[in-house]
Amino acid sequence: MSSFQEKMSALMARPGQDPVSKDEVSWWLKFAGRGVGTLGGFIAIFLGIWNCVSILLANVAALIAGLWQIVAGFIVLCIEAPCCCMFIDHVQRISDVVEHRPFWNRAVAYVIMAIPPIIIEIGTCTILGSGLIFATGVIYGMMALGKKASREDMAAVASPHMATSPTGLGGHPTDQQRATLMEDPDVWRPT
């Protein structure tokens, strides 16, 4: 079974599939993703159960949204905090597989998991519970984007593409104008 998974992983892997090295991500962003994911998973499960109780008021949409939210919260907990689910077999292995995937995979999965309960039943419980899962997806999306380029890198990329001066009279900006643009972005506003 393990060799089959390795073969499938090798087939699915693309050269250079994760342009952002996991080591380049800030430590606080990693902890934010884990923390919001873990807290969001617990809150989504709790509020999903709360939504399911509304079946007593004959609100079927809230029941379906609550069940979806419980499952989504549980999946997020299994991925972000496998120690909370160690009573279930293979959770650690699933978490390890997801950990080796690019950040954007996790971001897309969390955003997709968070949207249906809000569409099914718009309420405080679904918005708060699924919103935290959505926020976790946004954090992982930020991780997938990577670090911001240095000032020198941005200036090097911007200088060949600047066709007009800040005054709009044409020509290339002087070094002084370029320095002014880099120091104070409010100086030049396109009209």
Side-chain angles (χ1 to χ4, degrees):
M1 186 72 169
S2 176
S3 63
F4 176 74
Q5 289 175 340
E6 291 171 3
K7 288 179 184 177
M8 289 303 293
S9 297
L11 287 174
M12 299 301 270
R14 295 185 187 112
Q17 77 181 16
D18 191 9
V20 178
S21 171
K22 295 195 187 274
D23 295 334
E24 290 182 13
V25 177
S26 303
W27 63 269
W28 61 270
L29 204 53
K30 288 180 184 178
F31 283 125
R34 291 270 184 205
V36 173
T38 303
L39 181 68
F42 279 120
I43 290 176
I45 290 171
F46 175 74
L47 293 177
I49 292 170
W50 187 263
N51 267 350
C52 289
V53 171
S54 65
I55 192 65
L56 299 173
L57 302 173
N59 191 351
V60 177
L63 174 70
I64 295 169
L67 290 173
W68 187 288
Q69 200 168 335
I70 291 169
V71 171
F74 182 72
I75 290 171
V76 170
L77 269 180
C78 287
I79 293 170
E80 296 300 325
C83 60
C84 296
C85 305
M86 48 189 199
F87 54 89
I88 299 174
D89 294 338
H90 310 296
V91 168
Q92 185 64 42
R93 191 169 51 184
I94 292 169
S95 178
D96 290 340
V97 167
V98 171
E99 191 66 34
H100 294 300
R101 302 293 303 163
F103 288 131
W104 69 268
N105 290 147
R106 211 180 308 188
V108 169
Y110 290 164
V111 167
I112 289 173
M113 281 191 300
I115 292 174
I118 296 172
I119 292 173
I120 294 170
E121 172 70 25
I122 297 177
T124 307
C125 292
T126 54
I127 290 175
L128 184 61
S130 293
L132 288 170
I133 294 173
F134 189 88
T136 305
V138 169
I139 291 171
Y140 278 104
M142 289 172 40
M143 286 183 195
L145 290 176
K147 284 187 174 181
K148 182 179 170 184
S150 70
R151 179 185 168 121
E152 292 77 24
D153 292 341
M154 289 190 287
V157 169
S159 35
H161 300 297
M162 295 180 76
T164 62
S165 70
T167 60
L169 299 175
H172 294 289
T174 64
D175 289 335
Q176 178 60 33
Q177 289 171 330
R178 195 174 290 132
T180 303
L181 284 172
M182 294 299 290
E183 293 296 323
D184 188 7
D186 292 330
V187 171
W188 180 64
R189 292 183 196 97
T191 55

